[in-house]
Amino acid sequence: MTSHQNYAPQGTGHPLAAYGWTGEREADFAPFAAAGLVPGRVARVDLGRCDVVVPDPSGAGVHTVRAETAPVLDPDPVNCPCTGDWAAVDPGSRGPVALAALLPRSTALVRNSAGSASDGQALAVNVDAVLIASSLAAKPDLGRIERCLALAWESGAQPVVVLTKADVARDRSHADDVQAAAPGVTVLVVSAVSGEGMDLLRACLPGTTALIGPSGAGKSTLTNALAGAEVMAVGETRERDEKGRHTTTARELIAVPGGVIIDTPGLRSVGLYGGDGLERTFADVEALAAECRYHDCAHDAEPQCAVKAAIEDGLLPARRLVSYNKLLRENERIAARSDARLAAERARQGKHRWKLMKAESGKPRP
């Protein structure tokens, strides 16, 4: 790799502009440019290494380099390199190519890690929109869609729900149920096979889009259609329940006309990671709750409960309140575990400081 002057950002004409490079990114990168580092965007992360898209030394176009991630690893997994990160790359003139630093993130799609730990897992970062895919070939899982919406709102990106496989839809009225579960969110019915709704979808995807959903939802087929090429492997789904195999094994950034897509493996579980995403996901419930007689109304047996009244009048599906309460309790448990972890860390640090103080006090005075 040649010296960094061949990679100097050139504003809108910069080779990484198609990958989301902006004037703000250029300003963030300025100190690293002065140090002779190269800007790049993380396209895929494996154990200890990642693929990074960087400007080509020729000054035209881009190419992908394999870089070490060790220099920027963080004790908090949320802060470790993730697909979508902007990075300062050491070209490796005196060693292997490596990430030297990560630039500040504008958004981060984070879920709670599997198991009882309270650690988070970043699914994609620096995204403008989160595309939540669900197949119309089977009855959509509204609870899962609501969970994904909470993650998307919490990330700071704009959620869009896309109902795929419209060409084999068994009941299109399910789209109305999904819209009721996604107030204020664009819900599109599309088919990557027939092309139905695809132009409208393309118009709704600015910049960088993260694509999430269960296996079998047609995410890879959708990515191929948006890219206009077979860039992702496509697996078969079981006819009886439309569940599919994990054809996407890692989060991967794919260039498409007008921006980039971050395709993700099918999510078996969607654990929330706290935050206020629930407030926007259940904006209808929150608005009704503000009209209840009591500010701490549990929407159960309290008098003059606006939420229960809306359910009785058919204005709010009863399952919405059930789902809201379930996710609210889950968020409270996550917050409690996080607080316990922080308290344990503070206690550990306190014991360490006490040991140091005792050691210092036992030393003979000069």
Side-chain angles (χ1 to χ4, degrees), residues 151 168 193 245 321 338:
L151 289 184
V168 292
V193 175
R245 297 179 178 178
L321 178 58
S338 296

PDB file of all heavy atoms in Angstrom, residues 151 168 193 245 321 338:
ATOM      1  N   LEU A 151     -36.010  -2.292  18.945  1.00  0.00           N
ATOM      2  CA  LEU A 151     -34.572  -2.221  18.695  1.00  0.00           C
ATOM      3  C   LEU A 151     -34.247  -1.105  17.704  1.00  0.00           C
ATOM      4  O   LEU A 151     -33.283  -0.361  17.879  1.00  0.00           O
ATOM      5  CB  LEU A 151     -34.066  -3.552  18.137  1.00  0.00           C
ATOM      6  CG  LEU A 151     -33.998  -4.764  19.058  1.00  0.00           C
ATOM      7  CD1 LEU A 151     -33.380  -5.938  18.314  1.00  0.00           C
ATOM      8  CD2 LEU A 151     -33.210  -4.465  20.309  1.00  0.00           C
ATOM      9  N   VAL A 168     -46.677 -15.062  -3.116  1.00  0.00           N
ATOM     10  CA  VAL A 168     -47.239 -16.318  -2.599  1.00  0.00           C
ATOM     11  C   VAL A 168     -47.997 -16.073  -1.296  1.00  0.00           C
ATOM     12  O   VAL A 168     -48.173 -16.985  -0.490  1.00  0.00           O
ATOM     13  CB  VAL A 168     -46.127 -17.369  -2.370  1.00  0.00           C
ATOM     14  CG1 VAL A 168     -45.529 -17.816  -3.689  1.00  0.00           C
ATOM     15  CG2 VAL A 168     -45.035 -16.829  -1.445  1.00  0.00           C
ATOM     16  N   VAL A 193     -39.616 -11.441  -6.382  1.00  0.00           N
ATOM     17  CA  VAL A 193     -39.796 -12.289  -7.565  1.00  0.00           C
ATOM     18  C   VAL A 193     -40.559 -11.546  -8.651  1.00  0.00           C
ATOM     19  O   VAL A 193     -40.122 -11.461  -9.804  1.00  0.00           O
ATOM     20  CB  VAL A 193     -40.511 -13.600  -7.189  1.00  0.00           C
ATOM     21  CG1 VAL A 193     -40.804 -14.417  -8.445  1.00  0.00           C
ATOM     22  CG2 VAL A 193     -39.677 -14.409  -6.205  1.00  0.00           C
ATOM     23  N   ARG A 245     -33.235 -21.941   6.595  1.00  0.00           N
ATOM     24  CA  ARG A 245     -31.905 -22.150   7.148  1.00  0.00           C
ATOM     25  C   ARG A 245     -31.135 -20.836   7.127  1.00  0.00           C
ATOM     26  O   ARG A 245     -31.447 -19.920   6.388  1.00  0.00           O
ATOM     27  CB  ARG A 245     -31.151 -23.200   6.326  1.00  0.00           C
ATOM     28  CG  ARG A 245     -31.794 -24.586   6.362  1.00  0.00           C
ATOM     29  CD  ARG A 245     -30.993 -25.559   5.513  1.00  0.00           C
ATOM     30  NE  ARG A 245     -31.557 -26.899   5.575  1.00  0.00           N
ATOM     31  CZ  ARG A 245     -31.070 -27.940   4.896  1.00  0.00           C
ATOM     32  NH1 ARG A 245     -30.001 -27.769   4.106  1.00  0.00           N
ATOM     33  NH2 ARG A 245     -31.636 -29.120   5.000  1.00  0.00           N
ATOM     34  N   LEU A 321     -51.643  -4.412  24.427  1.00  0.00           N
ATOM     35  CA  LEU A 321     -51.364  -4.152  25.836  1.00  0.00           C
ATOM     36  C   LEU A 321     -50.587  -5.310  26.444  1.00  0.00           C
ATOM     37  O   LEU A 321     -49.653  -5.090  27.225  1.00  0.00           O
ATOM     38  CB  LEU A 321     -52.665  -3.934  26.605  1.00  0.00           C
ATOM     39  CG  LEU A 321     -52.513  -3.694  28.116  1.00  0.00           C
ATOM     40  CD1 LEU A 321     -51.624  -2.482  28.381  1.00  0.00           C
ATOM     41  CD2 LEU A 321     -53.882  -3.529  28.770  1.00  0.00           C
ATOM     42  N   SER A 338     -28.206  -4.865  34.584  1.00  0.00           N
ATOM     43  CA  SER A 338     -27.141  -3.910  34.260  1.00  0.00           C
ATOM     44  C   SER A 338     -26.696  -3.161  35.507  1.00  0.00           C
ATOM     45  O   SER A 338     -25.507  -2.946  35.730  1.00  0.00           O
ATOM     46  CB  SER A 338     -27.627  -2.917  33.196  1.00  0.00           C
ATOM     47  OG  SER A 338     -27.919  -3.581  31.987  1.00  0.00           O
TER      48      SER A 338
END
